[in-house]
Structure formats: C-alpha cells, structure tokens
Amino acid sequence: MEEISDGVNNLSVAADSQKKNRIQVSNTKKSLFFYVNLLKRYVQHHNEVERSALGMAIATVVTIAEILENNGLAVEKSKI
C-alpha cells in the first residue's frame, strides 16, 4: 500500500513539471506578438515548449510557430 502512495506522489510531481513548459494560446485574450514574446522567453528557460489551442486559436499557434521557425528560434517536432 505504501508503494502505491509513493507512486501516486511521484506521478503528480511529474505532471506538474510538464505543465511548466506548456502555453495555451487564445486568439481573443492576447495579441499574437504577446505569445511570440512569451514563447521566446520560455525557450530560453526550457529546452522544449508545448503550445496548445482549440478552435480558431489553432491558426494563431501555427502562425506563432512559423514566426519562431523563421527567426531560427524553434524547430518543429510534431504537429499533433
């Protein structure tokens, strides 16, 4: 029983560390260049930064990725 609780505690710590390098993009709350600058800062602190969006904000995420790639600040790993 003690092993299970230790495993659950380790799992929650791992889940928290994954959220630190994830940015959820909205196309209505902030401007495109807010997210570009935010991602530039995140790239300086993390090796990988995950971007996510829903609906119409997906186009904003793609545009941000293209801007960062054109500036040599990012390399696309996965589209999904």
Side-chain angles (χ1 to χ4, degrees):
M1 185 71 162
E2 189 174 322
E3 294 173 10
I4 294 173
S5 63
D6 289 340
V8 171
N9 290 338
N10 291 339
L11 181 63
S12 64
V13 170
D16 290 342
S17 67
Q18 290 176 350
K19 292 180 183 179
K20 290 181 182 177
N21 64 343
R22 183 175 189 207
I23 297 175
Q24 295 178 327
V25 176
S26 168
N27 64 340
T28 58
K29 293 185 180 180
K30 301 285 183 179
S31 71
L32 172 75
F33 289 103
F34 168 82
Y35 290 112
V36 170
N37 291 326
L38 182 63
L39 278 157
K40 284 180 182 179
R41 284 186 262 143
Y42 266 59
V43 167
Q44 291 174 353
H45 296 302
H46 303 283
N47 290 334
E48 294 182 4
V49 179
E50 180 180 332
R51 303 166 316 269
S52 66
L54 295 173
M56 298 299 290
I58 293 172
T60 304
V61 169
V62 171
T63 304
I64 292 167
E66 290 176 353
I67 290 170
L68 293 175
E69 284 181 40
N70 289 338
N71 290 328
L73 298 172
V75 176
E76 182 179 338
K77 284 183 80 174
S78 172
K79 292 183 180 182
I80 297 175

